[in-house]
Structures are given as structure tokens and as C-alpha cells.
């Protein structure tokens, strides 16, 4: 009788505990593992943090033959292989960083069947690349990671992914083919199946929801002030600040540095060495916050990122959800806050315009941008909006954990303020920028105000007690809600939009939904011990030159605080502790816990 997947599954569970320290597969992982154990082509669409990799890593350890994992980024590949090796799994990679001597040696080891898991860059997949190997050891599975890179509809199309199908076709025996991605609209899903030539694949779509992430859009916010305050308030937590352009990244980086906050920065205009250093400092918890363009993050598996701030609106929801999704991969709470300003729309339009000459692509990108803009303005649940976009949820619901459905935000009647501000803009004949308008409203004694005789206006000094920043914030909010517009790029001036005239004439009232500052997430476990364990993890990481989260995730450290293990056996009970980790780190962590007790 042939061995079925039901017979094999207990072995998969045993391996899961042995290597990764987990007692069970998550509900989303199990069907994927089962369909691979049954030998079926499989597509798994799972949100970031759901634990995709384990779905192919465990079956790979059970198949007779090697599993090739196609992975788009060299840094990602190295991280994954390092983490596997640290867990005691024989894995290796093939990419362009190897010298030709290393390459031949490694190919030879692979052919000897020493590695059940081999990560390979798609560029390395010319047909025949593994010919010398397949006569000695069969390729049992090809696992395509980040499979959305296959599709033009994806947000990260990579031509080299077109090598995969011909490569598979050139193999003497067809392997199981599996494809994994976090981000896939139905168009992308169909492309993956078609372009990889999958045979009657099992398709598993996990809900895209990331319940531990808090989503919020802030419009009309003083971005600099908000960002500095936010980062200061979360000084002990790791966070990423994404901005749309290199220049903007530099500006935010300088702002934070000037305020005495140790930050890193990452964008394509920096040297390779600077970039690598910033990334390492962040991964190794030397720097808590990094300011970056979207060039940063594909290779970042860091699981303890507690917040992702978007200083600018990204170009589409795929990018947004992927970037924001880098928060809270360990399942602990994470904040995803987007600071929207109308200027962001202009920046993204411009970027689309210069990105390609292909009119069809431009049309697609513009369509996607519009949905992103809609996200920034919807009064509905933000989570439902996202899930809807990815074809997941059908009915709209209130999630209770996003800026729009969170209790506490209040509707405030700001009609009087609106009338004061708009009439000031009107009296200044729509010729000046935000700062000067704010100065006039405050009643500033600034030279320029005097010279232009703006102190003679009836709106001069309407808000003597408010700070200039508060007045500016008020103006920003009116811009965000489309009563005012900022026009011109070099010296933008404030103009009245049609809605503002209705307010001036007393025809409508202005209500704003204003949110209070969010409190920091409450600590779930004894923070004293948690901080000690963190420090221990960091010093081990430094010795071993691997990022701290690769040793144990924040979640595992928290679970140590809960379980408070006394001996090796109890230590093994902690979720995230496998045999190998017990041997390597058990002693040190047990001692730390004992001292705490
Ligand atoms: P993805 O690649 O889907 O973004 P990862 O593979 O990085 O996700 O996994 C996210 C986190 O979840 C990691 O810290 C991983 O160790 C953890 N994880 C994966 N599978 C399980 C499981 N069955 N039980 C508990 N934690 C898990
Ligand atoms: Zn909600």
C-alpha cells in the first residue's frame, strides 16, 4: 500500500518540534503541508508573518531528493539559510555572491545529497544549470517564494522569474512545484498558476487579516512633529519609517538626529557599505528606528518590528500592505500609521509618469494609486478596506482595531475656526504659504508681516494664545479635507477650494473626526525579566554575528517570562524552542531566568 499524507503527517509534526520548537502547525499552514506531503502542486497565499517558509521547509526535509527554493533577493536568501543552519537544518544557497571555486564545491556537495534545502536565485536557473546534479540526486520539489514576482500585475515584477518554468520543463523528472506569496490579487493568482504551468494545483488562500496590527491614517498632521513625538514615545521599540523619496528620507533622518534620536537611514543613493551598515544596525537592535525608501525591507525578516510609519502615502495598496506588514511578524501588537498629505498624490503621479513609457502599465498603476488614495480617505473600517481590495472579505465590518472604528475619536464642530482661517486666507488674497498665514492668525511681530502690512488685516491676531504649530496643524487639516489647497511647487501658496466659500457664507458647518494620541501598547509580561532576556539575546547575537531575532523571537522571550522554565525539559516547553536551540542557548537563558527568580 502506498504511503499517504496521513501516514506522513505525524513525522512532519515531530520535525516541526525538533527543528523549530513548535508543537503544531498553524491552521493556515497545515493544509499546505498536507497537500505537499500528498505530492500535489500547491499555491499558498498567506499574509506576511503567517509562517510561509515552514510550509515548504518541513516537507523538504521529508522528500527523497532536494528542494530548490527560488528566492528573489540575495539578502533574504542568506538570512533564511543562516536561520535554518542555526536551527540545525542542512541548507545552503547558490547565488552570484559565490566565487567560481565556491560554486563548484557547493554544487558538488549538493550533488552528494548533503543539503535537502538549496536556495537559488532565479538568475542562476538557466536550463541545464543543475544537469550535473540531477543524475546523482533528484530534484524533488521546486518551491517558488515571492511568486507574485512572476506577474506583470504584481507590484514587484521580475523578468528573471520567467526562467523558472523552462527550467522545470528541462528536468528529467518533474518535481512537485509549489508557489508562495503574501500579496496576490486574483489576477496575480491566475498568472502564477499559468506562468509556472502548475498541474491541477491545490490553492490555499489564508485570510489576509493581521489582527495584531493596528491601522490608522492621519490626514492633515504636522508630519515632522508627529513623527518625532511618536518615535520618542516608542524609544524602546523597533520601528521603520518609510518615505517616498531619498530626499525625504534624508530630511527625516536629519530631523530625528537633530532631536537626539539615534536613527539609521537606507536608500538607493547611499553606498553599499552605508546601506549594509544601516540594515545590520537595525537587524541587530543597535538602532531602534530606520528611515527608508521602499528599497528597504524585502530581505528583512526581523520579527520584532513594533511599528511602521509611512511618512508618505505609497503608490498602491500592495506596497502599503507589504511594507506595513513588516510590523508584528511575531504576532505581538504592531502599529501601522500612514501620514497622508495631498502632496503625496502629486509625488506618486510624478513617479508613475517617469517610471515607464508603457501606457498600459501607466494606466494600471494610476488605477491602483486611486485605490490607495481612497484608502486614505475612507471613513469605513481600514482593515475591511484592505481585505476587500485583496478579494478576501466580502461584507464590511468594524474591526475595533483601526483608526476609523476605534472608539475614542470624537466629532468636533470646527466651523468657527474654519471661518477665521478661510477669511484670513481670503484677505491675504491667496498669495502666501502656510507659515505666513499662521503668523498673521497668531499676531506675530515678524518683520515680514509688518513689511507687507499684514498686521493691518482684521484677521491679524485672532489666535494669540495658540502656538504657531497648532495653527499650522489646523490649516493642514483643512487642506487634507479639501477646503484649502496648496498650489505651486517651489513656494506653495494657500488657496480656497469651492467648499471653503460655502463655509465663509455660513451655509455649512465643518465637522472633523479628530483622534487622540494612541497610548503605547501595554506590556503583557514581566518587563524586568523580558529586558534581561533581551539583553542576553543581544550579547549572544553579537558573539555569533547573527541578528537577535534569529536566536529567539520576542514572542518566544515573552513566553519564557510566562512559563518561567526551571530545567531543560521545561525550557523545551516554551514555544519557539527546539532541540538545537535548547542545546545552544538553554543554559544561558535558564540561568538568566533563575537569577531573576
Ligand atoms: P512569512 O515568511 O510568512 O512572513 P515567517 O516564515 O517569517 O513568515 O514566520 C513568521 C513567524 O512565525 C516566525 O517567527 C516563525 O518562526 C513563526 N512561526 C512559523 N510557524 C509557526 C508555528 N507553527 N507555530 C508558532 N510560530 C510559528
Ligand atoms: Zn476597523
Amino acid at each position: 500500500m502506498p504511503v499517504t499524507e496521513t501516514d506522513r503527517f505525524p513525522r512532519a509534526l515531530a520535525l516541526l518540534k525538533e527543528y523549530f520548537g513548535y508543537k503544531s502547525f498553524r491552521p493556515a499552514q497545515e493544509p499546505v503541508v498536507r497537500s505537499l506531503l500528498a505530492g500535489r502542486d500547491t499555491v499558498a497565499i498567506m499574509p506576511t508573518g503567517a509562517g510561509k517558509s515552514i510550509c515548504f521547509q518541513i516537507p523538504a526535509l521529508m522528500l527523497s531528493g532536494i528542494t530548490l527554493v527560488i528566492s528573489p533577493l540575495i539578502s533574504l536568501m542568506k538570512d533564511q539559510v543562516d536561520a535554518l543552519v542555526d536551527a540545525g537544518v542542512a541548507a545552503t544557497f547558490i547565488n552570484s555572491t559565490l566565487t567560481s571555486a565556491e560554486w563548484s564545491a557547493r554544487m558538488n556537495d549538493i550533488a552528494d545529497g548533503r543539503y535537502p534545502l538549496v536556495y537559488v536565485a532565479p538568475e542562476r536557473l538557466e536550463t541545464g544549470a543543475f544537469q550535473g546534479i540531477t543524475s546523482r540526486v533528484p530534484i524533488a520539489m521546486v518551491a517558488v517564494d515571492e511568486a507574485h514576482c512572476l506577474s506583470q500585475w504584481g507590484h514587484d515584477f521580475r523578468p528573471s522569474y520567467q526562467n523558472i518554468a523552462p527550467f522545470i520543463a528541462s528536468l528529467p523528472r518533474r518535481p512537485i512545484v509549489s508557489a508562495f506569496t503574501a500579496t496576490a490579487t486574483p489576477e496575480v493568482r491566475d498568472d502564477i498558476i499559468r506562468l509556472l504551468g502548475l498541474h491541477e494545483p491545490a490553492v490555499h488562500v489564508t485570510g489576509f487579516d493581521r489582527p495584531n496590527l493596528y491601522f490608522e491614517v492621519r490626514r492633515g498632521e504636522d508630519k515632522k512633529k508627529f513623527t518625532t513625538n511618536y518615535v520618542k514615545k516608542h524609544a524602546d521599540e523597533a520601528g521603520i519609517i518609510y518615505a517616498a523619496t531619498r530626499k525625504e528620507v534624508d530630511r527625516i533622518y536629519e530631523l530625528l538626529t537633530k532631536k537626539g534620536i539615534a536613527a539609521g537611514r537606507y536608500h538607493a543613493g547611499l553606498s553599499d557599505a552605508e546601506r549594509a551598515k544601516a540594515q545590520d544596525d537595525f537587524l541587530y537592535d543597535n538602532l531602534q528606528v530606520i528611515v527608508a525608501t521602499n528599497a528597504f525591507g524585502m530581505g528583512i525578516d526581523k520579527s520584532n518590528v513594533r511599528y511602521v510609519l509611512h511618512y508618505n502615502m505609497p503608490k498602491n495598496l500592495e506596497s502599503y500592505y507589504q511594507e506595513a506588514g513588516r510590523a508584528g511578524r511575531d504576532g505581538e501588537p504592531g502599529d501601522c500609521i500612514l501620514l497622508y498629505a495631498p502632496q503625496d498624490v502629486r509625488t506618486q503621479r510624478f513617479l508613475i509618469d517617469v517610471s515607464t513609457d508603457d501606457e498600459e502599465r501607466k494606466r494600471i498603476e494610476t488605477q491602483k494609486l486611486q485605490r490607495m488614495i481612497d484608502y486614505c480617505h475612507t471613513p469605513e473600517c481600514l482593515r475591511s478596506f484592505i481585505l476587500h481590495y485583496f478579494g478576501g472579505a466580502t461584507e464590511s465590518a468594524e474591526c475595533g482595531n483601526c483608526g476609523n472604528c476605534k472608539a475614542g475619536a470624537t466629532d468636533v464642530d470646527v466651523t468657527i475656526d474654519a471661518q477665521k482661517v478661510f477669511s484670513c486666507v481670503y484677505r491675504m488674497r491667496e498669495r502666501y504659504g502656510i507659515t505666513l498665514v499662521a503668523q498673521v492668525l497668531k499676531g506675530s511681530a515678524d518683520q515680514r508681516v509688518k513689511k507687507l502690512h499684514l498686521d493691518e488685516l482684521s484677521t491679524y491676531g485672532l489666535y494669540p494664545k495658540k502656538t504657531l504649530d497648532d495653527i499650522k496643524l489646523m490649516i493642514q487639516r483643512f487642506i487634507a479635507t479639501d477646503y484649502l489647497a496648496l498650489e505651486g511647487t517651489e513656494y506653495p501658496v494657500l488657496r480656497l477650494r469651492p467648499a471653503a466659500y460655502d463655509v465663509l457664507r455660513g451655509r455649512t458647518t465643518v465637522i472633523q473626526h479628530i483622534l487622540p494620541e494612541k497610548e503605547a501598547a501595554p506590556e503583557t509580561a514581566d518587563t524586568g525579566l523580558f529586558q534581561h532576556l533581551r539583553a542576553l539575546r543581544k550579547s549572544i547575537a553579537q558573539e555569533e554575528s547573527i541578528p537577535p531575532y534569529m536566536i529567539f523571537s520576542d514572542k518566544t522571550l515573552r513566553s519564557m517570562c510566562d512559563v518561567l522554565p526551571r530545567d531543560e525539559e521545561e525550557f523545551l516547553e516554551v514555544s519557539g524552542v527546539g532541540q538545537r536551540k535548547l542545546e545552544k542557548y538553554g543554559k544561558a537563558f535558564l540561568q538568566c531566568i533563575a537569577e531573576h527568580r
Side-chain angles (χ1 to χ4, degrees), residues 351-363:
L351 291 175
I352 290 174
D353 213 46
V354 298
S355 68
T356 173
D357 285 332
D358 181 340
E359 287 306 317
E360 173 62 6
R361 274 207 71 75
K362 264 187 205 172
R363 198 184 58 77

Side-chain angles (χ1 to χ4, degrees), residues 130-244:
F130 284 75
Q131 232 159 36
I133 287 181
T134 48
S135 56
R136 290 160 66 186
V137 55
I139 292 175
M141 173 159 75
V142 172
V144 183
D145 204 0
E146 311 291 351
H148 57 272
C149 295
L150 272 162
S151 169
Q152 290 264 12
W153 275 96
H155 55 292
D156 195 24
F157 173 63
R158 281 165 195 255
S160 59
Y161 264 59
Q162 291 166 342
N163 289 341
I164 302 172
F167 168 78
I168 292 171
S170 77
L171 294 172
R173 236 189 73 206
R174 191 177 182 283
I176 304 168
V177 183
S178 55
F180 296 82
T181 177
T183 307
T185 45
E187 293 93 339
V188 175
R189 199 177 313 167
D190 295 344
D191 270 4
I192 290 172
I193 295 172
R194 188 170 51 85
L195 297 170
L196 282 178
L198 298 185
H199 292 176
E200 298 175 4
V203 180
H204 301 283
V205 185
T206 306
F208 274 71
D209 195 10
R210 303 273 313 275
N212 60 318
L213 298 186
Y214 168 81
F215 290 95
E216 184 175 324
V217 175
R218 287 185 167 246
R219 286 166 300 180
E221 193 72 64
D222 180 333
K223 296 188 180 189
K224 285 186 190 153
K225 199 167 160 186
F226 178 85
T227 306
T228 343
N229 287 344
Y230 187 93
V231 173
K232 275 192 184 157
K233 221 171 171 175
H234 297 79
D236 289 337
E237 299 175 352
I240 306 174
I241 301 172
Y242 279 110

Side-chain angles (χ1 to χ4, degrees), residues 16 22 24-26 29 47-54 303 329 575:
L16 180 68
Y22 302 130
S24 56
F25 288 104
R26 292 175 173 156
Q29 292 173 320
T48 313
K52 271 181 295 159
S53 352
I54 278 176
S303 66
R329 290 174 74 131
S575 174

Side-chain angles (χ1 to χ4, degrees), residues 381-383 398-402 405:
C381 172
L382 293 172
R383 191 182 310 278
E398 295 232 323
C399 75
N401 190 28
C402 81
C405 51

Side-chain angles (χ1 to χ4, degrees), residues 93 188 217-218 241 265 284 321 360 370 383 390 398 416 437 442 492 527 562 564:
F93 62 82
V188 175
V217 175
R218 287 185 167 246
I241 301 172
R265 69 176 145 173
Y284 288 73
Y321 204 48
E360 173 62 6
Q370 190 52 50
R383 191 182 310 278
F390 291 111
E398 295 232 323
I416 305 286
V437 172
K442 171 147 181 78
T527 47
D562 292 339
L564 295 175

Side-chain angles (χ1 to χ4, degrees), residues 521-536:
E523 295 287 353
T524 50
D526 182 341
T527 47
L529 177 58
F530 181 70
Q531 296 307 342
H532 285 137
L533 294 174
R534 241 170 72 129
L536 172 63

Side-chain angles (χ1 to χ4, degrees), residues 467-479:
T467 66
L468 207 57
D469 277 349
D470 283 342
I471 299 174
K472 282 190 190 170
L473 174 62
M474 190 163 65
I475 297 173
Q476 298 268 19
R477 287 211 170 106
F478 290 127
I479 298 171

